[in-house]
Amino acid sequence: MIPDATIIWEWIGLAIRWTHVVTAIAWIGSSFYFIALDLGLQKAEGMPKGAHGEEWQVHGGGFYHIQKYLVAPERMPEHLTWFKWESYATWLSGVALLAVTYWVGSELFLIDPAKMELAQWQAILISAGSLALGWVIYDFLCKSRLGEKPTVLMLLLFVALVIMGWGYDQVFTGRAALLHLGAFTATIMTANVFLIIMPNQRIVVGDLKAGRAPDPKYGKIAKLRSTHNNYLTLPVIFLMLSNHYPLAFASQYNWLIAALVFLMGVTIRHFFNTMHARKGDLWWTWAVTVILFIMIMALSSAGLRQEPLETAEARALTPSQTRLAEAPGYEEVAGYVTGRCSMCHAREPFYEGIYHAPKGLFLETTADITRAAREIYIQAGVTDAMPPANVSFMEPEERDAIIRWYRAAGEARVAGN
């Protein structure tokens, strides 16, 4: 059989996600490596003129002798490796994944009608616009007098991130709110590389090639932005993974959970940064990290957000949901879904051991089922991923009915256009 558009789109999403994860590993790995290297540099006798410090390392059966120049060496080498594409590729693939998953799938993953009635174009505009606006505000703060007060600047950045987390949660689904907060932060990090760190490095290289003495201020500016990136990395990873865990994103306190995660990023990185600088092991930072994590767990269980079934049943369907509900076979499929899936995907699950709907996905009402039609088609129609291990004994005929219904709705949409 020739794959239909939905299946092809699913594979495109997987390819982009794969690329995103691989490039993120490369970016984060190189970032952590150079932070550790920078902090571990030591003064030694016999170093070349202008060298700030050196480090000996062993890896892969060989020894590496690394020296760092704060501004630049007296003579530029023939070959100079620039670490930039790891960051650029991570951000570009991340935006592509955001578009494929949250913009195209806005009805399920991005828009929450219980919070704000948005058209798809409005939700996408808020999504993309907020990422750009975040960089503009952050860059303005860094270039202000606050740039000379890094601690105060970090505190203001933390406050801004908390406010953005709260704001996203007022507009989008909880899942999208945390994901967008991660994208907001990652955009700042990549823009730091693309718009500040790399241009400053090019100025230094250009001065050196022209025989001018490079201004050390450019290195200082780049160092500030690199430090911000270092402390923001771990929270971004958490926020990107959070969409798999309803206890993180489905809580009404998800923005507070995100705030505590940012603090955990600081405590964890502070331990490793201090250790790599050979200034001791600050074990108390792990105690603080554990306390913060316990607070996160408490907030998640205390603030699970759940719309009452009666409210969900009364909500009007969108045009696309109406098309799905009116497609041939819907009533049959709705019976299968509520019978085989809603024991777990309910506002009050009754399957033993399930206390919260997996991934925060409800499948009880017509609005629920039509909103999640694409996921149902992929997870329980085309594949047998759901129910897991087929614990509710969904029959092949029932899966075939799901496929016929979804494709019939797609044909109706094409015919309507």
Side-chain angles (χ1 to χ4, degrees), residues 122-157:
Q122 292 173 320
I124 294 173
L125 184 62
I126 294 171
S127 170
S130 65
L131 303 184
L133 179 63
W135 162 252
V136 172
I137 295 173
Y138 164 79
D139 188 52
F140 171 79
L141 292 174
C142 287
K143 290 178 178 177
S144 71
R145 293 182 179 180
L146 291 170
E148 301 296 325
K149 302 176 181 178
T151 302
V152 175
L153 183 59
M154 281 291 287
L155 289 173
L156 279 177
L157 177 58

PDB file of all heavy atoms in Angstrom, residues 122-157:
ATOM      1  N   GLN A 122      -3.777  32.486  14.467  1.00  0.00           N
ATOM      2  CA  GLN A 122      -3.515  33.303  15.649  1.00  0.00           C
ATOM      3  C   GLN A 122      -2.562  32.584  16.605  1.00  0.00           C
ATOM      4  O   GLN A 122      -1.636  33.195  17.147  1.00  0.00           O
ATOM      5  CB  GLN A 122      -4.833  33.616  16.353  1.00  0.00           C
ATOM      6  CG  GLN A 122      -5.751  34.535  15.576  1.00  0.00           C
ATOM      7  CD  GLN A 122      -7.112  34.670  16.229  1.00  0.00           C
ATOM      8  OE1 GLN A 122      -7.686  33.706  16.739  1.00  0.00           O
ATOM      9  NE2 GLN A 122      -7.647  35.891  16.212  1.00  0.00           N
ATOM     10  N   ALA A 123      -2.797  31.290  16.803  1.00  0.00           N
ATOM     11  CA  ALA A 123      -1.938  30.511  17.704  1.00  0.00           C
ATOM     12  C   ALA A 123      -0.511  30.453  17.172  1.00  0.00           C
ATOM     13  O   ALA A 123       0.463  30.595  17.926  1.00  0.00           O
ATOM     14  CB  ALA A 123      -2.507  29.101  17.870  1.00  0.00           C
ATOM     15  N   ILE A 124      -0.361  30.260  15.861  1.00  0.00           N
ATOM     16  CA  ILE A 124       0.966  30.197  15.256  1.00  0.00           C
ATOM     17  C   ILE A 124       1.673  31.545  15.367  1.00  0.00           C
ATOM     18  O   ILE A 124       2.873  31.621  15.646  1.00  0.00           O
ATOM     19  CB  ILE A 124       0.864  29.746  13.783  1.00  0.00           C
ATOM     20  CG1 ILE A 124       0.366  28.295  13.711  1.00  0.00           C
ATOM     21  CG2 ILE A 124       2.216  29.885  13.081  1.00  0.00           C
ATOM     22  CD1 ILE A 124       0.080  27.816  12.299  1.00  0.00           C
ATOM     23  N   LEU A 125       0.923  32.624  15.170  1.00  0.00           N
ATOM     24  CA  LEU A 125       1.509  33.957  15.261  1.00  0.00           C
ATOM     25  C   LEU A 125       2.020  34.232  16.675  1.00  0.00           C
ATOM     26  O   LEU A 125       3.123  34.769  16.855  1.00  0.00           O
ATOM     27  CB  LEU A 125       0.474  35.014  14.864  1.00  0.00           C
ATOM     28  CG  LEU A 125       0.969  36.465  14.818  1.00  0.00           C
ATOM     29  CD1 LEU A 125       2.067  36.608  13.767  1.00  0.00           C
ATOM     30  CD2 LEU A 125      -0.188  37.412  14.514  1.00  0.00           C
ATOM     31  N   ILE A 126       1.238  33.858  17.683  1.00  0.00           N
ATOM     32  CA  ILE A 126       1.674  34.033  19.075  1.00  0.00           C
ATOM     33  C   ILE A 126       2.902  33.171  19.345  1.00  0.00           C
ATOM     34  O   ILE A 126       3.867  33.612  19.983  1.00  0.00           O
ATOM     35  CB  ILE A 126       0.541  33.670  20.051  1.00  0.00           C
ATOM     36  CG1 ILE A 126      -0.618  34.665  19.902  1.00  0.00           C
ATOM     37  CG2 ILE A 126       1.042  33.655  21.489  1.00  0.00           C
ATOM     38  CD1 ILE A 126      -1.864  34.260  20.680  1.00  0.00           C
ATOM     39  N   SER A 127       2.873  31.948  18.848  1.00  0.00           N
ATOM     40  CA  SER A 127       3.980  31.014  19.050  1.00  0.00           C
ATOM     41  C   SER A 127       5.277  31.572  18.478  1.00  0.00           C
ATOM     42  O   SER A 127       6.288  31.703  19.187  1.00  0.00           O
ATOM     43  CB  SER A 127       3.644  29.668  18.395  1.00  0.00           C
ATOM     44  OG  SER A 127       4.768  28.814  18.364  1.00  0.00           O
ATOM     45  N   ALA A 128       5.264  31.932  17.203  1.00  0.00           N
ATOM     46  CA  ALA A 128       6.484  32.414  16.548  1.00  0.00           C
ATOM     47  C   ALA A 128       6.885  33.799  17.058  1.00  0.00           C
ATOM     48  O   ALA A 128       8.068  34.069  17.303  1.00  0.00           O
ATOM     49  CB  ALA A 128       6.281  32.451  15.032  1.00  0.00           C
ATOM     50  N   GLY A 129       5.900  34.678  17.229  1.00  0.00           N
ATOM     51  CA  GLY A 129       6.192  36.041  17.657  1.00  0.00           C
ATOM     52  C   GLY A 129       6.818  36.106  19.033  1.00  0.00           C
ATOM     53  O   GLY A 129       7.716  36.924  19.285  1.00  0.00           O
ATOM     54  N   SER A 130       6.364  35.239  19.938  1.00  0.00           N
ATOM     55  CA  SER A 130       6.900  35.255  21.304  1.00  0.00           C
ATOM     56  C   SER A 130       8.370  34.865  21.332  1.00  0.00           C
ATOM     57  O   SER A 130       9.144  35.382  22.142  1.00  0.00           O
ATOM     58  CB  SER A 130       6.093  34.318  22.205  1.00  0.00           C
ATOM     59  OG  SER A 130       6.231  32.960  21.799  1.00  0.00           O
ATOM     60  N   LEU A 131       8.780  33.961  20.450  1.00  0.00           N
ATOM     61  CA  LEU A 131      10.183  33.548  20.409  1.00  0.00           C
ATOM     62  C   LEU A 131      11.076  34.708  19.980  1.00  0.00           C
ATOM     63  O   LEU A 131      12.148  34.928  20.553  1.00  0.00           O
ATOM     64  CB  LEU A 131      10.364  32.365  19.448  1.00  0.00           C
ATOM     65  CG  LEU A 131       9.536  31.109  19.727  1.00  0.00           C
ATOM     66  CD1 LEU A 131       9.911  30.003  18.749  1.00  0.00           C
ATOM     67  CD2 LEU A 131       9.701  30.631  21.162  1.00  0.00           C
ATOM     68  N   ALA A 132      10.621  35.452  18.972  1.00  0.00           N
ATOM     69  CA  ALA A 132      11.404  36.598  18.511  1.00  0.00           C
ATOM     70  C   ALA A 132      11.423  37.709  19.553  1.00  0.00           C
ATOM     71  O   ALA A 132      12.466  38.330  19.810  1.00  0.00           O
ATOM     72  CB  ALA A 132      10.822  37.119  17.190  1.00  0.00           C
ATOM     73  N   LEU A 133      10.273  37.962  20.161  1.00  0.00           N
ATOM     74  CA  LEU A 133      10.181  39.024  21.167  1.00  0.00           C
ATOM     75  C   LEU A 133      11.090  38.735  22.358  1.00  0.00           C
ATOM     76  O   LEU A 133      11.714  39.645  22.914  1.00  0.00           O
ATOM     77  CB  LEU A 133       8.735  39.181  21.635  1.00  0.00           C
ATOM     78  CG  LEU A 133       8.486  40.255  22.707  1.00  0.00           C
ATOM     79  CD1 LEU A 133       8.832  41.637  22.165  1.00  0.00           C
ATOM     80  CD2 LEU A 133       7.029  40.202  23.174  1.00  0.00           C
ATOM     81  N   GLY A 134      11.171  37.481  22.746  1.00  0.00           N
ATOM     82  CA  GLY A 134      12.012  37.100  23.881  1.00  0.00           C
ATOM     83  C   GLY A 134      13.464  37.471  23.658  1.00  0.00           C
ATOM     84  O   GLY A 134      14.131  37.994  24.565  1.00  0.00           O
ATOM     85  N   TRP A 135      13.957  37.217  22.445  1.00  0.00           N
ATOM     86  CA  TRP A 135      15.350  37.555  22.157  1.00  0.00           C
ATOM     87  C   TRP A 135      15.570  39.063  22.200  1.00  0.00           C
ATOM     88  O   TRP A 135      16.564  39.536  22.741  1.00  0.00           O
ATOM     89  CB  TRP A 135      15.761  37.015  20.781  1.00  0.00           C
ATOM     90  CG  TRP A 135      16.992  37.693  20.275  1.00  0.00           C
ATOM     91  CD1 TRP A 135      17.096  38.603  19.261  1.00  0.00           C
ATOM     92  CD2 TRP A 135      18.319  37.565  20.811  1.00  0.00           C
ATOM     93  NE1 TRP A 135      18.383  39.032  19.118  1.00  0.00           N
ATOM     94  CE2 TRP A 135      19.167  38.412  20.053  1.00  0.00           C
ATOM     95  CE3 TRP A 135      18.878  36.810  21.837  1.00  0.00           C
ATOM     96  CZ2 TRP A 135      20.526  38.527  20.292  1.00  0.00           C
ATOM     97  CZ3 TRP A 135      20.243  36.920  22.091  1.00  0.00           C
ATOM     98  CH2 TRP A 135      21.046  37.763  21.322  1.00  0.00           C
ATOM     99  N   VAL A 136      14.630  39.830  21.651  1.00  0.00           N
ATOM    100  CA  VAL A 136      14.765  41.289  21.622  1.00  0.00           C
ATOM    101  C   VAL A 136      14.871  41.845  23.038  1.00  0.00           C
ATOM    102  O   VAL A 136      15.739  42.682  23.336  1.00  0.00           O
ATOM    103  CB  VAL A 136      13.573  41.930  20.881  1.00  0.00           C
ATOM    104  CG1 VAL A 136      13.611  43.455  21.028  1.00  0.00           C
ATOM    105  CG2 VAL A 136      13.593  41.546  19.406  1.00  0.00           C
ATOM    106  N   ILE A 137      14.009  41.382  23.935  1.00  0.00           N
ATOM    107  CA  ILE A 137      14.024  41.866  25.320  1.00  0.00           C
ATOM    108  C   ILE A 137      15.309  41.448  26.032  1.00  0.00           C
ATOM    109  O   ILE A 137      15.964  42.244  26.708  1.00  0.00           O
ATOM    110  CB  ILE A 137      12.793  41.339  26.080  1.00  0.00           C
ATOM    111  CG1 ILE A 137      11.512  41.933  25.472  1.00  0.00           C
ATOM    112  CG2 ILE A 137      12.881  41.679  27.567  1.00  0.00           C
ATOM    113  CD1 ILE A 137      10.246  41.356  26.044  1.00  0.00           C
ATOM    114  N   TYR A 138      15.680  40.191  25.875  1.00  0.00           N
ATOM    115  CA  TYR A 138      16.890  39.676  26.521  1.00  0.00           C
ATOM    116  C   TYR A 138      18.131  40.415  26.032  1.00  0.00           C
ATOM    117  O   TYR A 138      18.989  40.836  26.832  1.00  0.00           O
ATOM    118  CB  TYR A 138      17.023  38.176  26.232  1.00  0.00           C
ATOM    119  CG  TYR A 138      18.391  37.608  26.513  1.00  0.00           C
ATOM    120  CD1 TYR A 138      18.787  37.304  27.811  1.00  0.00           C
ATOM    121  CD2 TYR A 138      19.288  37.375  25.480  1.00  0.00           C
ATOM    122  CE1 TYR A 138      20.058  36.783  28.076  1.00  0.00           C
ATOM    123  CE2 TYR A 138      20.548  36.857  25.727  1.00  0.00           C
ATOM    124  CZ  TYR A 138      20.927  36.558  27.031  1.00  0.00           C
ATOM    125  OH  TYR A 138      22.176  36.062  27.270  1.00  0.00           O
ATOM    126  N   ASP A 139      18.241  40.600  24.729  1.00  0.00           N
ATOM    127  CA  ASP A 139      19.413  41.269  24.168  1.00  0.00           C
ATOM    128  C   ASP A 139      19.496  42.715  24.648  1.00  0.00           C
ATOM    129  O   ASP A 139      20.592  43.227  24.933  1.00  0.00           O
ATOM    130  CB  ASP A 139      19.343  41.220  22.641  1.00  0.00           C
ATOM    131  CG  ASP A 139      20.614  41.715  21.982  1.00  0.00           C
ATOM    132  OD1 ASP A 139      21.695  41.220  22.349  1.00  0.00           O
ATOM    133  OD2 ASP A 139      20.536  42.608  21.125  1.00  0.00           O
ATOM    134  N   PHE A 140      18.341  43.378  24.773  1.00  0.00           N
ATOM    135  CA  PHE A 140      18.319  44.754  25.270  1.00  0.00           C
ATOM    136  C   PHE A 140      18.856  44.821  26.698  1.00  0.00           C
ATOM    137  O   PHE A 140      19.652  45.704  27.038  1.00  0.00           O
ATOM    138  CB  PHE A 140      16.893  45.303  25.215  1.00  0.00           C
ATOM    139  CG  PHE A 140      16.729  46.634  25.891  1.00  0.00           C
ATOM    140  CD1 PHE A 140      17.121  47.802  25.256  1.00  0.00           C
ATOM    141  CD2 PHE A 140      16.185  46.715  27.169  1.00  0.00           C
ATOM    142  CE1 PHE A 140      16.983  49.039  25.882  1.00  0.00           C
ATOM    143  CE2 PHE A 140      16.051  47.936  27.810  1.00  0.00           C
ATOM    144  CZ  PHE A 140      16.448  49.105  27.159  1.00  0.00           C
ATOM    145  N   LEU A 141      18.433  43.868  27.532  1.00  0.00           N
ATOM    146  CA  LEU A 141      18.899  43.847  28.922  1.00  0.00           C
ATOM    147  C   LEU A 141      20.406  43.609  28.994  1.00  0.00           C
ATOM    148  O   LEU A 141      21.112  44.248  29.784  1.00  0.00           O
ATOM    149  CB  LEU A 141      18.154  42.763  29.711  1.00  0.00           C
ATOM    150  CG  LEU A 141      16.662  43.007  29.960  1.00  0.00           C
ATOM    151  CD1 LEU A 141      16.024  41.777  30.629  1.00  0.00           C
ATOM    152  CD2 LEU A 141      16.452  44.240  30.822  1.00  0.00           C
ATOM    153  N   CYS A 142      20.893  42.696  28.167  1.00  0.00           N
ATOM    154  CA  CYS A 142      22.327  42.389  28.185  1.00  0.00           C
ATOM    155  C   CYS A 142      23.175  43.580  27.735  1.00  0.00           C
ATOM    156  O   CYS A 142      24.285  43.786  28.234  1.00  0.00           O
ATOM    157  CB  CYS A 142      22.622  41.186  27.301  1.00  0.00           C
ATOM    158  SG  CYS A 142      22.079  39.608  27.983  1.00  0.00           S
ATOM    159  N   LYS A 143      22.659  44.359  26.790  1.00  0.00           N
ATOM    160  CA  LYS A 143      23.411  45.483  26.263  1.00  0.00           C
ATOM    161  C   LYS A 143      23.231  46.752  27.098  1.00  0.00           C
ATOM    162  O   LYS A 143      23.898  47.759  26.844  1.00  0.00           O
ATOM    163  CB  LYS A 143      22.995  45.756  24.818  1.00  0.00           C
ATOM    164  CG  LYS A 143      23.464  44.662  23.858  1.00  0.00           C
ATOM    165  CD  LYS A 143      23.003  44.928  22.444  1.00  0.00           C
ATOM    166  CE  LYS A 143      23.530  43.852  21.493  1.00  0.00           C
ATOM    167  NZ  LYS A 143      23.041  44.048  20.106  1.00  0.00           N
ATOM    168  N   SER A 144      22.333  46.698  28.078  1.00  0.00           N
ATOM    169  CA  SER A 144      22.155  47.828  28.974  1.00  0.00           C
ATOM    170  C   SER A 144      23.246  47.811  30.036  1.00  0.00           C
ATOM    171  O   SER A 144      24.142  46.959  30.020  1.00  0.00           O
ATOM    172  CB  SER A 144      20.777  47.766  29.627  1.00  0.00           C
ATOM    173  OG  SER A 144      20.711  46.710  30.577  1.00  0.00           O
ATOM    174  N   ARG A 145      23.153  48.704  30.997  1.00  0.00           N
ATOM    175  CA  ARG A 145      24.129  48.756  32.086  1.00  0.00           C
ATOM    176  C   ARG A 145      24.107  47.493  32.934  1.00  0.00           C
ATOM    177  O   ARG A 145      25.064  47.212  33.663  1.00  0.00           O
ATOM    178  CB  ARG A 145      23.867  49.983  32.959  1.00  0.00           C
ATOM    179  CG  ARG A 145      24.125  51.311  32.255  1.00  0.00           C
ATOM    180  CD  ARG A 145      23.886  52.483  33.185  1.00  0.00           C
ATOM    181  NE  ARG A 145      24.161  53.759  32.522  1.00  0.00           N
ATOM    182  CZ  ARG A 145      24.033  54.945  33.110  1.00  0.00           C
ATOM    183  NH1 ARG A 145      23.623  55.004  34.384  1.00  0.00           N
ATOM    184  NH2 ARG A 145      24.285  56.049  32.443  1.00  0.00           N
ATOM    185  N   LEU A 146      23.013  46.756  32.821  1.00  0.00           N
ATOM    186  CA  LEU A 146      22.923  45.504  33.586  1.00  0.00           C
ATOM    187  C   LEU A 146      23.966  44.491  33.130  1.00  0.00           C
ATOM    188  O   LEU A 146      24.274  43.541  33.859  1.00  0.00           O
ATOM    189  CB  LEU A 146      21.520  44.903  33.445  1.00  0.00           C
ATOM    190  CG  LEU A 146      20.397  45.680  34.139  1.00  0.00           C
ATOM    191  CD1 LEU A 146      19.038  45.123  33.721  1.00  0.00           C
ATOM    192  CD2 LEU A 146      20.552  45.593  35.658  1.00  0.00           C
ATOM    193  N   GLY A 147      24.488  44.675  31.909  1.00  0.00           N
ATOM    194  CA  GLY A 147      25.526  43.779  31.424  1.00  0.00           C
ATOM    195  C   GLY A 147      26.763  43.795  32.298  1.00  0.00           C
ATOM    196  O   GLY A 147      27.558  42.846  32.291  1.00  0.00           O
ATOM    197  N   GLU A 148      26.942  44.878  33.067  1.00  0.00           N
ATOM    198  CA  GLU A 148      28.068  44.972  33.990  1.00  0.00           C
ATOM    199  C   GLU A 148      27.757  44.368  35.349  1.00  0.00           C
ATOM    200  O   GLU A 148      28.607  44.331  36.223  1.00  0.00           O
ATOM    201  CB  GLU A 148      28.463  46.445  34.175  1.00  0.00           C
ATOM    202  CG  GLU A 148      28.853  47.153  32.880  1.00  0.00           C
ATOM    203  CD  GLU A 148      30.097  46.544  32.254  1.00  0.00           C
ATOM    204  OE1 GLU A 148      30.987  46.111  33.030  1.00  0.00           O
ATOM    205  OE2 GLU A 148      30.175  46.481  31.016  1.00  0.00           O
ATOM    206  N   LYS A 149      26.508  43.908  35.515  1.00  0.00           N
ATOM    207  CA  LYS A 149      26.078  43.297  36.778  1.00  0.00           C
ATOM    208  C   LYS A 149      25.486  41.916  36.467  1.00  0.00           C
ATOM    209  O   LYS A 149      24.265  41.738  36.447  1.00  0.00           O
ATOM    210  CB  LYS A 149      25.050  44.176  37.479  1.00  0.00           C
ATOM    211  CG  LYS A 149      25.559  45.583  37.787  1.00  0.00           C
ATOM    212  CD  LYS A 149      24.457  46.449  38.394  1.00  0.00           C
ATOM    213  CE  LYS A 149      24.963  47.861  38.678  1.00  0.00           C
ATOM    214  NZ  LYS A 149      23.885  48.728  39.230  1.00  0.00           N
ATOM    215  N   PRO A 150      26.337  40.941  36.190  1.00  0.00           N
ATOM    216  CA  PRO A 150      25.866  39.635  35.718  1.00  0.00           C
ATOM    217  C   PRO A 150      24.899  38.929  36.661  1.00  0.00           C
ATOM    218  O   PRO A 150      23.963  38.256  36.211  1.00  0.00           O
ATOM    219  CB  PRO A 150      27.158  38.835  35.537  1.00  0.00           C
ATOM    220  CG  PRO A 150      28.206  39.572  36.304  1.00  0.00           C
ATOM    221  CD  PRO A 150      27.802  41.002  36.283  1.00  0.00           C
ATOM    222  N   THR A 151      25.087  39.080  37.969  1.00  0.00           N
ATOM    223  CA  THR A 151      24.190  38.408  38.915  1.00  0.00           C
ATOM    224  C   THR A 151      22.785  38.998  38.841  1.00  0.00           C
ATOM    225  O   THR A 151      21.781  38.268  38.800  1.00  0.00           O
ATOM    226  CB  THR A 151      24.717  38.524  40.351  1.00  0.00           C
ATOM    227  OG1 THR A 151      26.022  37.950  40.413  1.00  0.00           O
ATOM    228  CG2 THR A 151      23.805  37.791  41.324  1.00  0.00           C
ATOM    229  N   VAL A 152      22.715  40.329  38.819  1.00  0.00           N
ATOM    230  CA  VAL A 152      21.414  40.997  38.703  1.00  0.00           C
ATOM    231  C   VAL A 152      20.753  40.643  37.376  1.00  0.00           C
ATOM    232  O   VAL A 152      19.541  40.388  37.304  1.00  0.00           O
ATOM    233  CB  VAL A 152      21.581  42.529  38.821  1.00  0.00           C
ATOM    234  CG1 VAL A 152      20.249  43.238  38.572  1.00  0.00           C
ATOM    235  CG2 VAL A 152      22.134  42.898  40.185  1.00  0.00           C
ATOM    236  N   LEU A 153      21.556  40.586  36.322  1.00  0.00           N
ATOM    237  CA  LEU A 153      21.033  40.241  35.003  1.00  0.00           C
ATOM    238  C   LEU A 153      20.453  38.831  34.993  1.00  0.00           C
ATOM    239  O   LEU A 153      19.375  38.591  34.419  1.00  0.00           O
ATOM    240  CB  LEU A 153      22.142  40.365  33.966  1.00  0.00           C
ATOM    241  CG  LEU A 153      21.756  40.106  32.509  1.00  0.00           C
ATOM    242  CD1 LEU A 153      20.664  41.064  32.060  1.00  0.00           C
ATOM    243  CD2 LEU A 153      22.981  40.234  31.605  1.00  0.00           C
ATOM    244  N   MET A 154      21.144  37.885  35.617  1.00  0.00           N
ATOM    245  CA  MET A 154      20.641  36.516  35.700  1.00  0.00           C
ATOM    246  C   MET A 154      19.330  36.441  36.466  1.00  0.00           C
ATOM    247  O   MET A 154      18.411  35.701  36.100  1.00  0.00           O
ATOM    248  CB  MET A 154      21.696  35.606  36.342  1.00  0.00           C
ATOM    249  CG  MET A 154      22.800  35.172  35.406  1.00  0.00           C
ATOM    250  SD  MET A 154      22.234  34.014  34.118  1.00  0.00           S
ATOM    251  CE  MET A 154      22.012  32.524  35.084  1.00  0.00           C
ATOM    252  N   LEU A 155      19.219  37.212  37.535  1.00  0.00           N
ATOM    253  CA  LEU A 155      17.978  37.234  38.313  1.00  0.00           C
ATOM    254  C   LEU A 155      16.824  37.789  37.478  1.00  0.00           C
ATOM    255  O   LEU A 155      15.711  37.262  37.516  1.00  0.00           O
ATOM    256  CB  LEU A 155      18.160  38.062  39.587  1.00  0.00           C
ATOM    257  CG  LEU A 155      19.043  37.440  40.677  1.00  0.00           C
ATOM    258  CD1 LEU A 155      19.266  38.433  41.809  1.00  0.00           C
ATOM    259  CD2 LEU A 155      18.405  36.161  41.219  1.00  0.00           C
ATOM    260  N   LEU A 156      17.095  38.849  36.714  1.00  0.00           N
ATOM    261  CA  LEU A 156      16.059  39.412  35.852  1.00  0.00           C
ATOM    262  C   LEU A 156      15.662  38.421  34.755  1.00  0.00           C
ATOM    263  O   LEU A 156      14.483  38.314  34.407  1.00  0.00           O
ATOM    264  CB  LEU A 156      16.556  40.711  35.224  1.00  0.00           C
ATOM    265  CG  LEU A 156      16.479  41.963  36.097  1.00  0.00           C
ATOM    266  CD1 LEU A 156      17.074  43.158  35.354  1.00  0.00           C
ATOM    267  CD2 LEU A 156      15.036  42.261  36.496  1.00  0.00           C
ATOM    268  N   LEU A 157      16.647  37.710  34.223  1.00  0.00           N
ATOM    269  CA  LEU A 157      16.356  36.698  33.214  1.00  0.00           C
ATOM    270  C   LEU A 157      15.475  35.600  33.795  1.00  0.00           C
ATOM    271  O   LEU A 157      14.522  35.148  33.149  1.00  0.00           O
ATOM    272  CB  LEU A 157      17.663  36.105  32.681  1.00  0.00           C
ATOM    273  CG  LEU A 157      17.533  34.964  31.661  1.00  0.00           C
ATOM    274  CD1 LEU A 157      16.744  35.410  30.443  1.00  0.00           C
ATOM    275  CD2 LEU A 157      18.930  34.469  31.243  1.00  0.00           C
TER     276      LEU A 157
END
